[in-house]
Amino acid sequence: MVYRGRVQGVGFRYTTARLAEAFAVDGYVMNLADGSVRMEAEGDKAELERFHEAILGSPPGAGVRETDLHWGDVHGRFDGFRIRYQTLE
């Protein structure tokens, strides 16, 4: 998933990581060089849908204006949910 809008500098990654604990999802979230935020998450599809809806409503200073969602198979590559701090070029 890629989130665009006011999503950097507003605690978006930290809020996403905190929300991931409340939902049974594993994966990561990271800032991208173009100002968007990328998240890759695995889990039950219904749980992922609820997680995505929760993300859209927070944090208060964020403003998601566009999302690119791509559904795929679960590969079990992740153990927990992490914030990645390097950006992709």
Side-chain angles (χ1 to χ4, degrees):
M1 296 179 215
V2 176
Y3 295 89
R4 293 182 179 85
R6 184 173 162 79
V7 292
Q8 289 192 16
V10 293
F12 188 84
R13 290 174 302 157
Y14 300 100
T15 300
T16 299
R18 183 181 48 79
L19 286 170
E21 293 177 11
F23 296 88
V25 297
D26 295 326
Y28 71 88
V29 62
M30 69 186 293
N31 286 346
L32 298 178
D34 68 358
S36 63
V37 172
R38 176 183 175 149
M39 181 183 68
E40 198 167 330
E42 292 183 336
D44 175 76
K45 186 170 182 179
E47 193 76 351
L48 287 168
E49 288 171 343
R50 288 190 294 272
F51 177 51
H52 173 67
E53 288 299 318
I55 289 169
L56 293 178
S58 60
V64 176
R65 64 171 166 74
E66 182 182 338
T67 59
D68 292 331
L69 284 100
H70 301 278
W71 297 98
D73 295 329
V74 174
H75 299 285
R77 297 183 306 181
F78 306 111
D79 181 23
F81 196 92
R82 310 258 187 278
I83 296 172
R84 291 189 179 172
Y85 292 96
Q86 68 185 53
T87 59
L88 297 176
E89 298 296 327

